[in-house]
Amino acid sequence: MIKKSNYKKQLLIFDFILLCFLTVIDQLTKYMAVLKLKDKAAIPIVEGVLEFSYLENRGAAFSMLENQKTFFVIVAGIFLCVITYVLFRTPGDKKYRHLHILLTTIGAGALGNMIDRLRLDYVVDFIYISLINFPIFNVADMFVTFATAILVVRVLFVYEEDDFDFLAAKGAQ
């Protein structure tokens, strides 16, 4: 049987490895997008539904707040700090395994886009759902969106209110 402290250390090591792996996947897909799509016509994947189309996004979702690099880097840094804080505060119980995976996935998305902003001054987007004319996005955006949606469902329907008592300030309990 694994002690809670050892299990927590294993979870945190897993979190770090997952963060690195997902960030590398994001960066590799963006690298391939630059190589194969930049200055070229869109590539249909499923005609009339999905295509790969290169875009340099200097804003956030839907290109809002364009050219606010410093703001986005600071916000991503704050998110990463909060996620790190929560992961370190989370008890070493198996019931929090999904929380670790979801928060780490959100963190990887934030980190992937932050790397682009720091390195390029924009985020490389390349996935376009033409069927519904959805704004062009990338793998990091998918990490953040899907993990956040699943996290919200789990918080609303799976976790109990007292499952998050570990986040309360010490002495305030």
Side-chain angles (χ1 to χ4, degrees):
M1 184 167 180
I2 299 173
K3 286 186 192 177
K4 280 188 181 183
S5 63
N6 285 339
Y7 184 71
K8 183 169 180 173
K9 286 177 190 172
Q10 289 175 349
L11 272 177
L12 292 172
I13 291 168
F14 173 79
D15 293 340
F16 181 74
I17 292 168
L18 180 62
L19 179 81
C20 292
F21 175 75
L22 294 176
T23 303
V24 166
I25 294 296
D26 171 65
Q27 291 297 299
L28 281 174
T29 59
K30 290 173 180 172
Y31 175 74
M32 292 304 297
V34 170
L35 285 181
K36 302 290 183 181
L37 301 170
K38 188 173 183 173
D39 299 325
K40 296 181 179 134
I43 299 172
I45 304 305
V46 178
E47 193 68 43
V49 177
L50 177 68
E51 62 186 49
F52 289 156
S53 180
Y54 183 82
L55 174 73
E56 294 176 358
N57 186 350
R58 297 179 190 281
F62 314 112
S63 294
M64 293 185 302
L65 299 170
E66 279 196 65
N67 299 315
Q68 298 296 317
K69 172 186 168 181
T70 303
F71 171 75
F72 291 123
V73 168
I74 290 170
V75 168
I78 291 169
F79 268 85
L80 290 168
C81 288
V82 169
I83 287 169
T84 302
Y85 173 80
V86 171
L87 291 174
F88 274 91
R89 289 286 305 241
T90 304
D93 297 343
K94 290 188 180 191
K95 73 178 178 180
Y96 295 108
R97 188 177 335 166
H98 292 110
L99 181 64
H100 276 262
I101 292 168
L102 294 170
L103 289 176
T104 301
T105 302
I106 293 167
L111 182 60
N113 283 341
M114 186 170 88
I115 290 169
D116 279 13
R117 283 193 172 84
L118 290 170
R119 199 170 59 89
L120 307 168
D121 289 333
Y122 56 84
V123 174
V124 173
D125 288 337
F126 60 93
I127 303 167
Y128 176 55
I129 303 174
S130 55
L131 179 67
I132 58 173
N133 194 27
F134 195 80
I136 301 172
F137 57 96
N138 61 47
V139 173
D141 298 335
M142 292 188 329
F143 291 160
V144 171
T145 303
F146 293 136
T148 299
I150 294 167
L151 181 61
V152 167
V153 169
R154 290 190 63 81
V155 167
L156 291 175
F157 301 109
V158 176
Y159 291 114
E160 301 292 327
E161 189 175 329
D162 62 345
D163 284 340
F164 295 101
D165 286 348
F166 65 89
L167 290 174
K170 291 182 181 178
Q173 297 170 348

